[in-house]
C-alpha cells in the first residue's frame, strides 16, 4: 500500500511517500505565497524520485498550518495528531514530543499508540520558534547552522529578559556592542528560546521519554540548552522536519485499512 | 485528551484547557451558545470525536476575548464553565 503525507508548514512544505510503513521518498520546497502549488510541486518531485505516478498513491493526507490549501489531499489531520503519529513510529519510546518549526512551537504528550493525551501550542510569540533564530543569526551575521555549532563553544550564558522577538533583537545588538563574544550571545539566545519551549513542555507534563522533531531539532545548540533547562536527555531522529509528514502518511494508510 | 488553547507572553499564561474525553460525551455542547463572545466552535477531532475548541482567530488574543467575563472589579462570570455539564473547561487565569 502506498500513501503520502503533505506537511504544509509556514516556511517549508514537506512530502513523504511510504510503502507499507517504510519511507520510499521525501521532498521539500519553500511554501512561498502559493502553498497549494508548492505542495503539488513537492509531491510531484517525491513521486518522481520514487518512480511513481499520482495514481499509484492510494491516499494523501495533509497536515500543517496550510493543510486546508492542499486540495489534492483526501483528508487532513492536525499538526499535533500528525506529529504524535510520526514520532511514535520513528522513536517508539517517546511519550512527550516537542515540535519546533519556523513559526510555532508545540508540546504534546501521547500514549504508546501515538494517541495525543495533552497538547499545547505557542504560535503567538515568535521568540518560541525557528524564525526567531533566523532573526538573531542575521544580527550576528552568521547562518542559523553556524549559530548552533558556535553556541557549543560558549563559556557563559547572558540572561536575556525580553519576551518579544523584536525587543530580544535589541538586546542582542546591545550585547554585540558590549563586545560579548558571538558564541556566548548564540548560547544566550538558545537559552532564552529553550525557556519558552520548556514552559510548554511543563504544561503538558514532562516525562523522561522526551523526543524532539521539527527543523529546530537539527540545531545542536538549541537542543543542548533545552536538555539543560528540562534536565533530561532528548531523543532525536534523522530528518526531524519530515516527521509530521510521515505521520500524515501513516494516518492515510490507517484510514484505508 | 487535554487540549490547551491560548498562549504565554510577558504578562502571563492564558490558556483554556478542554478535556475532550469529557466534552465528547456531551451531545448538546451548551457552552458554545453560552459564551457571549462566541469564541468556541464544535469540530471533529483527529480521533473522530465531536468536541469543542477555541476558534483560530481568538487563540492569540484569548486574554482579551475572555476579558468581558473576567471583570477586575466584579465577580467573574465564566458562562462557558457554568454551562458545561461535565466540568471539561478550565481557564488558566
Amino acid at each position: 500500500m502506498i500513501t503520502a503525507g503533505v506537511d504544509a508548514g509556514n516556511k517549508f512544505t514537506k512530502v513523504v511517500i511510504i510503502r507499507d510503513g517504510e519511507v520510499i521518498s521525501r521532498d521539500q520546497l519553500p511554501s512561498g505565497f502559493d502553498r497549494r502549488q508548492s505542495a503539488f510541486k513537492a509531491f510531484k518531485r517525491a513521486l518522481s524520485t520514487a518512480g511513481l505516478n499520482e495514481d499509484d498513491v492510494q491516499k494523501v493526507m495533509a497536515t500543517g498550518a496550510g493543510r486546508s490549501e492542499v486540495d489534492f489531499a483526501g483528508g487532513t489531520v492536525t499538526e499535533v495528531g500528525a506529529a504524535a503519529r510520526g514520532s511514535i513510529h520513528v522513536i517508539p519510546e517517546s511519550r512527550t514530543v516537542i515540535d519546533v518549526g519556523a513559526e510555532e512551537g508545540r508540546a504534546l504528550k501521547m500514549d504508546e499508540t501515538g494517541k495525543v493525551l495533552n497538547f499545547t501550542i505557542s504560535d503567538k510569540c515568535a521568540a518560541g520558534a525557528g524564525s526567531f533564530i533566523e532573526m538573531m543569526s542575521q544580527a550576528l551575521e552568521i547562518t542559523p547552522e553556524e549559530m548552533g555549532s558556535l553556541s557549543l563553544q560558549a563559556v557563559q550564558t547572558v540572561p536575556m529578559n525580553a519576551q518579544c522577538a523584536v525587543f530580544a533583537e535589541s538586546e542582542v545588538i546591545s550585547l554585540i556592542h558590549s563586545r560579548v563574544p558571538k558564541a556566548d550571545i548564540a548560547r544566550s539566545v538558545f537559552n532564552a528560546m529553550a525557556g519558552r519551549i520548556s514552559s510548554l513542555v511543563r504544561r503538558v507534563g514532562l516525562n523522561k521519554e522526551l523526543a524532539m522533531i521539527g527543523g529546530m531539532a537539527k540545531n545542536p545548540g538549541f537542543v543542548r540548552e533545552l536538555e539543560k533547562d528540562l534536565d533530561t536527555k532528548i531523543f532525536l531522529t534523522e530528518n526531524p522536519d519530515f516527521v509530521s509528514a510521515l505521520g500524515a502518511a501513516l494516518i492515510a494508510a490507517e484510514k484505508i485499512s | 485528551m487535554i487540549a490547551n488553547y491560548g498562549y504565554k507572553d510577558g504578562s502571563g499564561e492564558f490558556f483554556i484547557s478542554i478535556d475532550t474525553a469529557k466534552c465528547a460525551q456531551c451531545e448538546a455542547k451548551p457552552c458554545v451558545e453560552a459564551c457571549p463572545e462566541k469564541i468556541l466552535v464544535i469540530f471533529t477531532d483527529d480521533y473522530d470525536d465531536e468536541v469543542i475548541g477555541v476558534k483560530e482567530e481568538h487563540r492569540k488574543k484569548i486574554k482579551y476575548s475572555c476579558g468581558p467575563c473576567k471583570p477586575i472589579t466584579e465577580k467573574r462570570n465564566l458562562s462557558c464553565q457554568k454551562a458545561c455539564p461535565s466540568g471539561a473547561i478550565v481557564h488558566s487565569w
Side-chain angles (χ1 to χ4, degrees):
Chain A
M1 183 195 312
I2 298 173
T3 58
V6 179
D7 178 5
N10 283 307
K11 189 151 192 191
F12 282 95
T13 295
K14 287 79 70 180
V15 174
V16 167
I17 299 176
I18 60 169
R19 178 186 281 132
D20 300 328
E22 293 300 317
V23 176
I24 56 171
S25 179
R26 64 171 69 86
D27 208 321
Q28 70 171 345
L29 281 173
S31 296
F33 284 101
D34 189 343
R35 279 174 169 164
R36 193 253 169 218
Q37 195 185 37
S38 304
F40 193 63
K41 266 190 193 171
F43 179 52
K44 293 287 271 183
R45 281 172 34 152
L47 284 172
S48 170
T49 305
L52 299 170
N53 295 313
E54 274 180 69
D55 296 340
D56 296 325
V57 180
Q58 287 169 269
K59 193 172 180 74
V60 180
M61 289 289 278
T63 186
R67 61 185 180 274
S68 60
E69 294 172 49
V70 185
D71 57 2
F72 58 90
T76 62
V77 58
T78 63
E79 297 97 311
V80 173
R85 187 64 191 86
S87 298
I88 205 77
H89 185 79
V90 294
I91 310 171
E93 59 270 48
S94 60
R95 293 294 176 271
T96 302
V97 178
I98 301 167
D99 179 4
V100 186
E103 298 289 343
E104 282 185 353
R106 58 185 80 90
L108 65 92
K109 204 170 179 177
M110 61 189 175
D111 66 13
E112 66 283 358
T113 65
K115 184 175 180 185
V116 180
L117 302 174
N118 196 334
F119 77 86
T120 186
I121 298 172
S122 168
D123 61 355
K124 179 183 167 101
C125 180
S131 295
F132 174 64
I133 298 302
E134 279 194 358
M135 276 175 67
M136 297 303 111
S137 67
Q138 281 168 16
L140 291 171
E141 297 178 346
I142 52 177
T143 65
E145 292 77 20
E146 288 169 338
M147 193 173 159
S149 47
L150 188 65
S151 76
L152 300 176
Q153 299 162 23
V155 293
Q156 62 167 340
T157 304
V158 185
M160 291 187 61
N161 301 314
Q163 290 280 335
C164 161
V166 177
F167 293 126
E169 189 175 20
S170 301
E171 275 197 58
V172 166
I173 289 166
S174 297
L175 293 173
I176 293 169
H177 291 161
S178 305
R179 304 211 177 276
V180 174
K182 273 188 187 181
D184 293 353
I185 299 175
R187 185 204 272 182
S188 304
V189 168
F190 290 131
N191 178 268
M193 187 171 157
R196 287 159 183 73
I197 298 298
S198 296
S199 72
L200 295 182
V201 179
R202 292 194 179 97
R203 171 158 281 278
V204 299
L206 171 65
N207 57 26
K208 294 293 175 191
E209 295 82 22
L210 178 65
M212 185 176 173
I213 62 168
M216 283 303 293
K218 294 193 287 192
N219 190 309
F222 177 62
V223 172
R224 193 180 75 164
E225 288 306 307
L226 205 49
E227 284 180 333
K228 272 166 46 186
D229 207 81
L230 293 168
D231 193 24
T232 189
K233 177 92 185 124
I234 296 175
F235 294 107
L236 299 172
T237 180
E238 267 186 272
N239 304 307
D241 34 355
F242 284 92
V243 173
S244 292
L246 170 63
L250 291 165
I251 290 168
E254 287 159 5
K255 295 267 182 197
I256 296 170
S257 57
Chain B
M1 176 168 72
I2 308 295
N4 295 288
Y5 297 99
Y7 59 90
K8 177 186 177 184
D9 66 11
S11 61
E13 288 194 28
F14 308 96
F15 288 96
I16 290 183
S17 303
I18 295 161
D19 186 332
T20 59
K22 289 179 181 173
C23 182
Q25 303 296 318
C26 167
E27 281 188 21
K29 306 206 184 337
C31 54
V32 176
E33 278 305 306
C35 172
E37 300 299 313
K38 305 294 175 212
I39 72 161
L40 300 174
V41 63
I42 300 171
F43 70 102
T44 304
D45 71 8
D46 292 336
Y47 308 106
D48 294 329
D49 288 325
E50 195 171 73
V51 297
I52 63 153
V54 174
K55 287 179 186 170
E56 189 85 41
E57 63 264 35
H58 288 283
R59 291 180 193 173
K60 295 179 191 173
K61 57 172 185 172
I62 204 158
K63 173 185 173 184
Y64 305 102
S65 298
C66 292
C69 290
K70 301 181 178 194
I72 294 169
T73 54
E74 294 167 44
K75 202 176 164 193
R76 289 153 59 102
N77 179 28
L78 300 181
S79 309
C80 57
Q81 275 189 347
K82 280 185 184 168
C84 177
S86 47
I89 303 172
V90 175
H91 290 235
S92 72
W93 78 107

